[in-house]
């Protein structure tokens, strides 16, 4: 299968900037692209998506579904056509390689648990360390035969007929929710999932877009199965988690003016705009529209002349901002009052231990930072200096510290810069476009 990925260098030198100025259109949302790809590959008929994510993670989802019988046709210009398997996959004669993508592995576990056949899921070294018991447990309650390797991948699945359950997630996780919904889609009866903190709802919206019926209450989502999915055509909104790096960069420079076109503004994902506004940034949302129930709009941001203030991210807010916390920590030294992050222990089991890496790299740039089991305290009013940054194979760490480097004194070397390709291969080129030097 042809990939959108380009070869990236292992290291990237980031020079300080004077300002952030200009306009950008960003690649398609990774979370939405994952879901559209997997559901369309499972559905009836041929679906077409434009502005599909260029990241390696979504390429892993497409490759896995292609191995299970779906037909994937790259059309160029970030467009992809997917012909689905009409609800019945063909077991592959080889392990399904999920690469670095936790979303791919956790979603597809739910999809395959209710199918006939034996399946093995593998991933890279990073993914093979990430916890998978959180999806095995609800699937086992549904009657699935799912075996882990010491709580991690490789995962072996012996697909079979399942039964509906009523399940409460132990940790806020859209991946667990999606896994259970995909199993419930194929299962007789009503499967209900309760979550104490409402997580991103892209799966519910995507399922509905492809014809499924779901019921939502304040703290639960239910699906009655089995149901059949049909094909759609959709334009994937720009990725708000990718936009976060540019928004935070613009917030650092008084006199900045940045416009990001056609960004996904799903309320369960756009909380960063509220946090940046609370810090004092001037944020405007223009041209708001709705596409397949996903809100899309243009964001304009400029920084306050007096600089950013301070804020605390904790509780439900931390769960909603889990992908954006690295870049918020990276800009925290430049605020006047600092940023305090709590209730974010989930960061320790992402592509890396993000809390430890954020603390280590901030200190490498000369910052004071206090590390906690579930977060960080990063005081404000600090001036950072250029340093050598260890991305730890984590795309969000590589990009977050590229943003911190824009306001530092001296150049910063990002080691492991190629990890940005996991979600955002174009990141460094686009950053150069809007960073005035």
């Amino acid at each position: 299968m042809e990939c959108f990925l380009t070869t990236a260098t292992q290291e990237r030198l980031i020079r300080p900037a004077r300002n952030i100025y200009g306009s950008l259109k960003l690649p398609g949302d990774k979370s939405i692209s994952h879901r559209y790809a997997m559901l369309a590959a499972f559905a009836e008929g041929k679906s077409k998506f434009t502005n599909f994510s260029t990241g390696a993670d979504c390429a892993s989802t497409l490759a896995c579904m292609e191995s299970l019988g779906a037909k994937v046709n790259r059309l160029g210009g970030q467009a992809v056509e997917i012909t689905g398997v009409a609800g019945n996959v063909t077991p592959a004669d080889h392990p399904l390689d999920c690469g670095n993508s936790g979303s791919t592995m956790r979603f597809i576990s739910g999809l395959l648990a209710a199918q006939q056949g034996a399946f093995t899921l593998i991933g890279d070294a990073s993914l093979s360390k990430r916890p998978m018991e959180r999806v095995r447990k609800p699937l086992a309650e549904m009657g699935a035969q799912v075996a882990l390797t010491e709580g991690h991948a490789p995962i072996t699945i012996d697909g079979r007929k399942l039964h509906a359950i009523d399940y409460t997630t132990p940790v806020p996780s859209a991946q667990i929710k999606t896994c259970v919904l995909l199993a419930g889609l194929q299962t007789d009866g009503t499967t209900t999932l309760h979550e104490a903190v409402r997580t991103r709802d892209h799966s519910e919206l995507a399922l509905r877009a492809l014809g499924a019926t779901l019921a939502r209450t304040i703290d639960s989502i239910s699906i009655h199965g089995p149901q059949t999915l049909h094909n759609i055509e959709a334009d994937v909104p720009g990725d708000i988690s990718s936009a976060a790096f540019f928004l935070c960069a613009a917030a650092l420079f008084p006199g900045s003016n940045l416009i990001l076109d056609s960004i996904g503004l799903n309320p369960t994902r756009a909380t960063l705009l509220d946090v940046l506004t609370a810090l004092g940034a001037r944020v405007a949302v223009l041209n708001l529209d709705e596409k397949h129930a996903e809100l899309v709009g243009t964001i304009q941001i400029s920084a306050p002349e007096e600089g950013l203030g301070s804020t605390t991210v904790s509780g439900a807010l931390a769960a909603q901002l889990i992908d954006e916390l690295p870049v918020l920590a990276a800009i925290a030294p430049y605020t006047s009052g600092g940023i305090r992050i709590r209730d974010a222990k989930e960061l320790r089991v992402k592509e890396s231990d993000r809390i430890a890496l954020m603390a280590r790299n901030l200190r490498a740039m000369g910052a004071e930072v206090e590390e906690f089991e579930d977060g960080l305290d990063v005081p404000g009013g600090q001036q950072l200096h250029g340093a050598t940054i260890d991305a730890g194979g984590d795309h969000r760490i590589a990009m977050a510290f590229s943003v911190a480097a824009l306001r530092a004194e001296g150049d910063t070397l990002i080691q492991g810069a190629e990890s940005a390709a996991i979600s955002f291969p174009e990141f460094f080129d686009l950053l150069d476009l809007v960073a005035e030097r």
Side-chain angles (χ1 to χ4, degrees), residues 9 56 75 83 99 134 158-159 229 243 264 282 293 319 332 350 357:
T9 56
L75 304 176
T83 304
R134 56 183 57 182
D158 182 9
L229 302 181
R282 291 187 284 271
K350 288 290 189 177
L357 266 181

Side-chain angles (χ1 to χ4, degrees), residues 167 177 192-195 204 215-222:
Y167 187 74
K177 175 171 64 176
T192 300
L193 183 134
H194 303 268
E195 48 184 7
E204 298 96 299
R216 168 159 278 291
T217 68
I218 292 175
D219 67 347
S220 74
I221 183 79
S222 298

Side-chain angles (χ1 to χ4, degrees), residues 39 68 112 140 144 201 223-224 257 259 268 275-276 328 350 364 386 421:
L39 294 178
L68 293 166
L112 297 180
D201 62 359
I223 188 164
H224 187 83
N257 188 12
I259 295 174
T268 63
V275 173
L276 289 172
L328 284 171
K350 288 290 189 177

